Amino acid sequence: MINKYDFYRPRNMMAEAAALGMIAGAIAVPHGTKEDAEVMVRYCKFLDDHGDIYQSQNGESAAKVLLVYPRTASHAGRVGGIEMIEVAGRTMIADHVQFDFVPDDLLEKTDLNKYRAIVASDSEGLTQETLEPFHKAGGRLIALPRGDDLVASLRWKKLGAAIVVGLEPRTGGKPAAAPFRVALRQAMGIPLIQTSAPYTLEAHAYWQPGRLVVHLVNYNRSENSVGKSVVAREAPIDVEPVQIQLALPQGVKIGRVRFLGPDAPGEEKLAFQQRETTVKFQIPTFKVYGVCVVELEAQP
């Protein structure tokens, strides 16, 4: 997540906020040059023209994984678990895994039944009573403890967790995170999004009535670029066409797939291939922000 006062990546700032169902910071929108003003007007107009996409914070998250922030432990001064949460989060972002994020003290107020996997790094703040319905529905708890404390391991076992040990800080998205990747795949099954896109392209998917909307944000850029305008110095490197495969619920039939973006006029209808519970399509080249609208023809 970029700093909302980042004066050098205004398009990323606006795209990221839109993709996360948030509001872009107006204070960081440049307008001092003609090029800046034209680009910012175009982005603002795109958001305004497609306001239905952004209603109710973009819709219902399509994530099947819940990442739990260890707020109870961190408030007690035990902050080691935060490093493991960073490893898990960065790994899922690099692998395009959709996940939601919640602190443990709000877990009781969270509907856990829609998740296949819960990832946590500290057992403090978790209870058997909260997790029992989740386990009964077939959900899996993945524990990423910091260190190999025996007492902590026993607590995790009582909570019915699959324990992943040996992870090191600052290894998120790297080969060293392989044990977590394996445990997550076993718990999650087939991920919602499968793509060969680089980690610099992030996807955020939401269910809306009659459609699945996938927001794509490209963070790739030429560092230390020069230019008279801010957007020239932002210097995004275009996303090359890449295939995306989505996992669908049983009984869902796709009607059409549309691609929208603030840097391209109008919309583009994408060819797609559906096979039972998957659909494949190729996204076109775009600069910073694109939206795939997957419209459903039939629902279970």
Side-chain angles (χ1 to χ4, degrees), residues 15-33:
E16 181 184 77
L20 294 174
M22 300 179 183
I23 298 174
I27 194 172
V29 175
H31 54 82
T33 69

Side-chain angles (χ1 to χ4, degrees), residues 8-12 35 39 43 218-223 225 230-239 263 286-289:
Y8 301 100
R9 290 183 291 179
R11 281 173 283 195
N12 266 129
E35 184 180 10
V39 171
Y43 269 66
N218 174 34
Y219 292 87
N220 200 13
R221 64 184 288 260
S222 297
E223 301 289 339
S225 294
V230 174
V231 296
R233 296 192 295 273
E234 184 177 19
I237 299 175
D238 288 4
V239 174
D263 293 307
F286 70 95
K287 288 190 176 299
V288 176
Y289 182 44

